[in-house]
Amino acid sequence: MPQRHSSVTPTFDEALIVVNDLVLAQRGKYLSEPEILVMRGSWHNHEFVEIAENSPYSVNYLQRGVATKLWDILTKTVGNGKRVSKKNVRNFLEQVVQNHYAQSAPTEEKNLPVNNLTQVIGGEPPDTSSFYGRTEELSNLKKLITKQRCISLVGVAGIGKTALAAKLTQEISVDPRPIFDCIIWKSVAHVPLLQDLVAELIGLIHPSDDRTELPKFTQAMVSVLINQMQLSRCLLVLDESDCLFQISDLEQRLEYKLFFRRLIEEIDQSCLFLTNRGFPDDLEDLIVAGRPIEYLKIKGLDTDAAMQLLYDQGLNDQEKCSDLIKTYYGNPLELKTVVSRINHFFAGSAEKFFENRTTLFSSQFQAMLDKTFGYLLSENQRQIMIYIAEEIALNSKSVSFISLLNGLNKKQKRSLSTSDLITALEGLEKQSLIETIEDQVSKEISFTLQPIVKKYIIKDPRGLVHTSDNSPNLMFAS
């Protein structure tokens, strides 16, 4: 924020910047769009009817749903021991901004010039204005990027890997004490040729470099890139990088494998940040070799954050929200998808939806499972997934390791060794396709599936799960 005299009356936008940071520190997410709408309207002394008229929200939702929680969080952050309300919110906001300027004015260090910010180049990360929870994960990642040369952020489709990576880059880019000289954001879902990717990265780090003078051979170009990343502290984010580890062309895959190995071994003060749906075997080999790699698997949103997401989507029945969070394991994309369908097909009535309840999944989640069952799973892994899905559908219970081993051998009429089962299960866990439950007393683990994964297997919408000789001839309501 620019330096100014503390006696000048602040604008609402200035107040929003200060308060948003305080709210983020308090609850782990910024103010939502309807919260900002209510706060802005209250600042200008508008009634709730006026606020609602120029918004997609109802008066009842803004007044009884949004405002109540807004005054609670503002009381905690700017109330200074007093209750914040619609009538006095502007006074509190103006005061907190005045205090902010008064405290920061004498100290040069707190008013660092704009050019100390770290620019994000290469691509534009997604918008994070509607970001929920993940306070602990963000804090952990900020520590890891200063210690490790490679971080792999792993989780199923829609769980929020890209959003978390984007939030991380946003926060460190405005840190007054920059960790990196540059932040590069690249989505690599389209699988660029390694030579093209490296040439682009070189040009991004040093735009003045003449690309016509780059070496002819790919690994020589990689050496140029590594030299640049040794001279400058760079955070290189490769979003949706799974496909780079699954390339069918053997020569191209080996090139990428060597590329990642060299970066991890040689970039020193820089950091490679990957988002993946499953942890790549190539990286696991490097971990075994003692290379500085961190593997972080993220799960669904915690209950409070998921509740806030559903509330912001217009669903405010706490019991039904809790049920949806449990069903969809706090997956933000799946929660948004089911609420969108509730709004469209049931006029926003969760009660009507639950009277005709079903398990839904987004097109992204189905695409992930289509790809997984289409060619990523081994036959053992496929049979494990089918067996667990059928057992849950019949008995509503997780499956122990011994039951799984015996059941698969009985069903397939062949011998599946303990080591083969362990190997297959480890692969499924890496891809976040199965869930483990630990018995509190015996500490024995059993295996289950998320309801949306179970439904996909049973329904087999693309015919990719069951072969002609193992199709289950069973129909389960879900």
Side-chain angles (χ1 to χ4, degrees), residues 174-190:
V174 297
D175 194 313
R177 296 176 179 81
I179 303 171
F180 296 100
D181 300 315
C182 71
I183 300 170
I184 304 172
W185 180 281
K186 288 295 298 177
S187 176
V188 287
H190 61 292

Side-chain angles (χ1 to χ4, degrees), residues 285-330:
D285 292 342
L286 293 177
I287 288 179
V288 173
R291 300 300 184 254
I293 304 172
E294 188 73 26
Y295 155 57
L296 186 64
K297 180 178 179 180
I298 63 168
K299 297 186 178 182
L301 297 174
D302 62 46
T303 302
D304 288 343
M307 278 287 190
Q308 185 67 44
L309 182 154
L310 291 174
Y311 208 81
D312 288 349
Q313 298 292 311
L315 203 65
N316 51 23
D317 185 314
Q318 186 168 354
E319 183 180 347
K320 291 178 173 56
C321 284
S322 297
D323 201 328
L324 289 176
I325 293 166
K326 183 178 179 181
T327 298
Y328 295 95
Y329 275 58

Side-chain angles (χ1 to χ4, degrees), residues 160-209:
K161 303 179 297 296
T162 298
L164 180 54
K167 188 66 175 175
L168 175 70
T169 60
Q170 178 206 359
E171 292 198 1
I172 64 174
S173 70
V174 297
D175 194 313
R177 296 176 179 81
I179 303 171
F180 296 100
D181 300 315
C182 71
I183 300 170
I184 304 172
W185 180 281
K186 288 295 298 177
S187 176
V188 287
H190 61 292
V191 194
L193 290 173
L194 178 58
Q195 196 167 38
D196 293 341
L197 175 63
V198 173
E200 184 179 2
L201 294 176
I202 291 171
L204 287 170
I205 297 173
H206 288 293
S208 60
D209 287 355

Side-chain angles (χ1 to χ4, degrees), residues 312-379:
D312 288 349
Q313 298 292 311
L315 203 65
N316 51 23
D317 185 314
Q318 186 168 354
E319 183 180 347
K320 291 178 173 56
C321 284
S322 297
D323 201 328
L324 289 176
I325 293 166
K326 183 178 179 181
T327 298
Y328 295 95
Y329 275 58
N331 185 308
L333 176 61
E334 300 312 302
L335 290 173
K336 288 178 182 178
T337 298
V338 71
V339 173
S340 174
R341 288 167 174 172
I342 289 172
N343 290 336
H344 183 68
F345 292 103
F346 299 93
S349 171
E351 186 175 343
K352 290 180 181 178
F353 170 75
F354 274 82
E355 287 172 0
N356 303 274
R357 185 170 179 177
T358 186
T359 305
L360 303 166
F361 40 78
S362 66
S363 58
Q364 291 94 325
F365 205 93
Q366 176 163 330
M368 178 197 77
L369 292 175
D370 288 345
K371 183 177 180 181
T372 298
F373 281 93
Y375 62 87
L376 293 182
L377 295 182
S378 68
E379 187 56 33

Side-chain angles (χ1 to χ4, degrees), residues 83-112:
R83 178 70 182 173
V84 175
S85 67
K86 185 175 184 296
K87 291 182 178 180
N88 63 22
V89 64
R90 178 164 183 165
N91 292 335
F92 281 107
L93 296 180
E94 287 182 346
Q95 185 60 51
V96 78
V97 176
Q98 297 283 8
N99 292 342
H100 173 81
Y101 285 127
Q103 292 169 7
S104 59
T107 309
E108 259 184 53
E109 193 178 53
K110 293 182 180 180
N111 291 285
L112 293 172

